[in-house]
Amino acid sequence: MLAGRYALAAAEVARLCELQLVVLGAGGPGSGPASVLQTGTVLPLRDAVLRAAAVDEVAASRVRLEEFVRALRPGWRLLAQSSLALPGGVRQLARDDVEWVAERSGPVVRLGRAAKASGA
């Protein structure tokens, strides 16, 4: 999901990956093949459905950032501008004067085959 100024790069991001992109807010010529989602503060997405998200301070309130974290899969990344406070539920991986990158925290899920092999 791309929101705010990051949405302007949707067409370029779509060329680099084979994921379905969602642009939050107004779509435009730069949104390319992305789906455009118009919404209020609450994201109409299931929990843990997003693989990654990028948001700027214009598109993210504290509550909206928490919504991004809720919708993000554990272990996947959230990119935001450094002016935004790190929300709960994520672990910061990198930060500079412009942006930070965080990973969504979450339980480690063991697959049935791996659990049987380890005797768990």
Side-chain angles (χ1 to χ4, degrees):
M1 177 172 277
L2 303 172
R5 70 182 176 114
Y6 298 103
L8 299 174
E12 290 80 15
V13 172
R15 281 194 288 273
L16 294 173
C17 63
E18 296 179 13
L19 300 174
Q20 174 62 43
L21 291 178
V22 177
V23 170
L24 183 61
S31 62
S35 298
V36 177
L37 180 63
Q38 299 284 349
T39 184
T41 303
V42 176
L43 298 177
L45 300 172
R46 293 188 333 250
D47 292 355
V49 69
L50 294 177
R51 293 184 180 186
V55 61
D56 68 7
E57 74 266 353
V58 173
S61 62
R62 181 188 57 78
V63 174
R64 175 74 62 80
L65 267 180
E66 291 170 359
E67 280 291 293
F68 276 102
V69 172
R70 178 194 58 78
L72 196 62
R73 293 179 181 184
W76 291 79
R77 308 294 196 271
L78 175 62
L79 171 72
Q81 291 186 291
S82 291
S83 59
L84 295 168
L86 200 68
V90 298
R91 178 175 64 95
Q92 182 174 292
L93 300 175
R95 175 185 286 267
D96 63 16
D97 293 339
V98 179
E99 298 165 318
W100 52 255
V101 177
E103 177 181 80
R104 165 125 191 254
S105 308
V108 174
V109 177
R110 294 186 180 252
L111 299 176
R113 189 172 40 202
K116 290 176 187 174
S118 67

